Amino acid sequence: QDQANPHTGFPPGVAQQMLLRHFKHYETIARHQRAEAPPPPAPAPAEESDSKPAPEDVTEVPTTPPAQPTPAANTSQQQKEPKVERAHSESSVTPYNGAVTDKYSWSQTLYETTVEVPIPAHLKSREIHVKITKSRLEVGIKGKDLIIQGELGGSVKWDDSTWLKEGAMLQVTLVKELETWWKSVVTGDPEIDTTKVDSVRHVSEYDEETQAGIQKVMFDQDQKRKGLPTSDEMQQHDLLRKAWDAEGSPFKGQPFDPSVLNMSGEMPPGMAPAQP
């Protein structure tokens, strides 16, 4: 943000938050693609043979000229590529929890929806029309009919939503106001079945505090499986070590031996007061 002109640029921290949201969005899509990718085929084992190769057949066989291709009835119709396929092939976004329409492709997570619209590569940003409000979206080329127009599939944080032109693709990122699954980008466009979306969350999609809690649980489970102390037990062990050599400790100066301590509240053997 320009300090001399506070009306330009982003407030402190906003650009970083936008970058992290985009990173998490594409990280989720990449994991989905890796999970669905078929494993590479195993190389065929080389066949070894001790026998000599068969003699080559040198018999002359009369050759016939290759058949000429039959001209197509309508060449222009064969060369015409369906609009849906073109939009899909040019798009860098896999329709993860979204779809490919005849005008655009879109994907979504619980946090945002990404729309990609194929446009002529020579267009400048000033020739593109994008209007994002809390509940409505308009996308198109100035002077022409709008490509996308209508009520959004859910409310968005319009001031956090962005758009970007990259080559022949216009990408619009809509930050959702509520963590919900959209049936479509705008009302009236083809809808998806939201009961079939991939609703599994990766650890990285949670806030930092929740991530720390999940990682702690996973670590403790792994430690228990290996017969090793959990994170709480390790922390308790560190506290005991510090208290061992603290001022006033009866163990100060002695080698640390947690086996003589009893955390049940009873005095360790040999330390109980003498009975009268």
Side-chain angles (χ1 to χ4, degrees):
Q1 188 173 16
D2 187 358
Q3 299 297 331
N5 187 1
H7 298 290
T8 63
F10 293 108
V14 173
Q16 183 181 11
Q17 292 176 3
M18 293 172 60
L19 180 63
L20 289 175
R21 279 200 306 269
H22 284 287
F23 175 79
K24 290 182 178 180
H25 174 78
Y26 288 105
E27 184 183 34
T28 302
I29 294 175
R31 286 197 307 272
H32 179 73
Q33 290 177 327
R34 288 195 298 268
E36 289 191 345
E47 296 183 359
E48 297 183 358
S49 176
D50 296 334
S51 58
K52 296 182 179 180
E56 183 180 358
D57 186 3
V58 296
T59 305
E60 294 185 359
V61 179
T63 59
T64 56
Q68 298 295 326
T70 304
N74 190 344
T75 307
S76 61
Q77 184 176 2
Q78 287 185 348
Q79 294 178 347
K80 186 177 180 181
E81 187 179 357
K83 191 173 183 180
V84 173
E85 295 300 325
R86 181 168 62 254
H88 178 65
S89 61
E90 293 177 355
S91 175
S92 62
V93 168
T94 301
Y96 174 69
N97 289 340
V100 176
T101 72
D102 59 342
K103 296 180 179 180
Y104 60 89
S105 60
W106 66 285
S107 63
Q108 65 173 324
T109 66
L110 277 173
Y111 310 102
E112 62 185 23
T113 295
T114 301
V115 185
E116 286 204 342
V117 185
I119 58 174
H122 67 271
L123 286 179
K124 305 296 183 182
S125 296
R126 61 177 178 270
E127 301 176 87
I128 300 171
H129 170 77
V130 178
K131 183 178 180 181
I132 305 172
T133 67
K134 182 176 181 179
S135 59
R136 190 173 180 83
L137 174 65
E138 293 181 0
V139 177
I141 301 172
K142 293 181 179 179
K144 298 185 179 182
D145 293 338
L146 292 174
I147 302 172
I148 304 175
Q149 179 183 19
E151 296 293 320
L152 288 167
S155 57
V156 300
K157 299 177 182 178
W158 61 271
D159 51 342
D160 288 339
S161 301
T162 58
W163 66 274
L164 175 69
K165 177 185 179 296
E166 291 185 348
M169 192 63 62
L170 173 64
Q171 182 182 100
V172 182
T173 303
L174 305 168
V175 180
K176 297 180 179 179
E177 194 169 52
L178 299 175
E179 296 181 8
T180 58
W181 297 113
W182 291 7
K183 293 183 178 180
S184 61
V185 175
V186 294
T187 304
D189 280 3
E191 296 184 351
I192 64 169
D193 185 357
T194 54
T195 63
K196 297 180 180 179
V197 300
D198 179 12
S199 58
V200 178
R201 288 193 186 186
H202 190 263
V203 175
S204 61
E205 297 183 47
Y206 290 93
D207 58 76
E208 293 182 0
E209 183 178 356
T210 305
Q211 287 186 43
I214 294 175
Q215 291 170 354
K216 178 179 181 297
V217 172
M218 295 173 63
F219 174 79
D220 289 345
Q221 289 178 345
D222 186 58
Q223 289 291 95
K224 288 180 179 180
R225 182 178 58 83
K226 297 177 180 177
L228 299 174
T230 63
S231 56
D232 289 337
E233 292 170 343
M234 293 169 65
Q235 184 179 13
Q236 187 181 74
H237 185 272
D238 290 339
L239 291 174
L240 291 175
R241 179 182 290 276
K242 291 179 181 179
W244 184 275
D245 283 325
E247 288 295 332
S249 170
F251 306 108
K252 186 176 181 180
Q254 302 179 30
F256 179 64
D257 183 8
S259 63
V260 304
L261 302 175
N262 190 332
M263 301 306 297
S264 63
E266 301 176 0
M267 295 296 290
M271 295 190 62
Q275 296 295 330

Short mmCIF file of all heavy atoms in Angstrom, two decimals, residues 15 21 99 107 154 179 184:
data_model
loop_
_atom_site.label_atom_id
_atom_site.label_comp_id
_atom_site.label_asym_id
_atom_site.label_seq_id
_atom_site.Cartn_x
_atom_site.Cartn_y
_atom_site.Cartn_z
N ALA A 15 -2.76 -8.77 0.89
CA ALA A 15 -2.15 -9.46 -0.26
C ALA A 15 -1.64 -10.84 0.14
O ALA A 15 -1.79 -11.82 -0.60
CB ALA A 15 -1.00 -8.62 -0.82
N ARG A 21 -4.76 -18.08 0.16
CA ARG A 21 -6.02 -18.70 -0.25
C ARG A 21 -5.88 -19.37 -1.61
O ARG A 21 -6.35 -20.48 -1.83
CB ARG A 21 -7.14 -17.66 -0.28
CG ARG A 21 -7.75 -17.34 1.07
CD ARG A 21 -9.11 -16.69 0.91
NE ARG A 21 -9.07 -15.52 0.05
CZ ARG A 21 -8.87 -14.29 0.48
NH1 ARG A 21 -8.67 -14.07 1.77
NH2 ARG A 21 -8.86 -13.27 -0.37
N ALA A 99 -17.79 -28.02 -12.76
CA ALA A 99 -18.23 -28.57 -14.05
C ALA A 99 -17.61 -27.77 -15.18
O ALA A 99 -16.99 -26.72 -14.97
CB ALA A 99 -19.76 -28.53 -14.14
N SER A 107 -14.50 -24.59 -10.64
CA SER A 107 -14.20 -25.52 -9.56
C SER A 107 -14.46 -24.80 -8.25
O SER A 107 -14.62 -23.58 -8.21
CB SER A 107 -12.75 -26.00 -9.64
OG SER A 107 -11.86 -24.90 -9.45
N GLY A 154 -24.12 -18.50 -4.23
CA GLY A 154 -24.04 -18.19 -2.80
C GLY A 154 -23.44 -16.80 -2.65
O GLY A 154 -22.88 -16.23 -3.59
N GLU A 179 -19.11 -21.22 4.29
CA GLU A 179 -18.49 -22.45 3.81
C GLU A 179 -19.58 -23.43 3.38
O GLU A 179 -20.04 -24.27 4.15
CB GLU A 179 -17.61 -23.06 4.91
CG GLU A 179 -16.43 -22.18 5.30
CD GLU A 179 -15.56 -22.81 6.36
OE1 GLU A 179 -15.79 -24.00 6.69
OE2 GLU A 179 -14.67 -22.13 6.89
N SER A 184 -24.20 -24.30 -8.71
CA SER A 184 -23.80 -23.68 -9.97
C SER A 184 -23.16 -22.34 -9.65
O SER A 184 -23.27 -21.83 -8.53
CB SER A 184 -25.00 -23.48 -10.89
OG SER A 184 -25.95 -22.61 -10.27
#
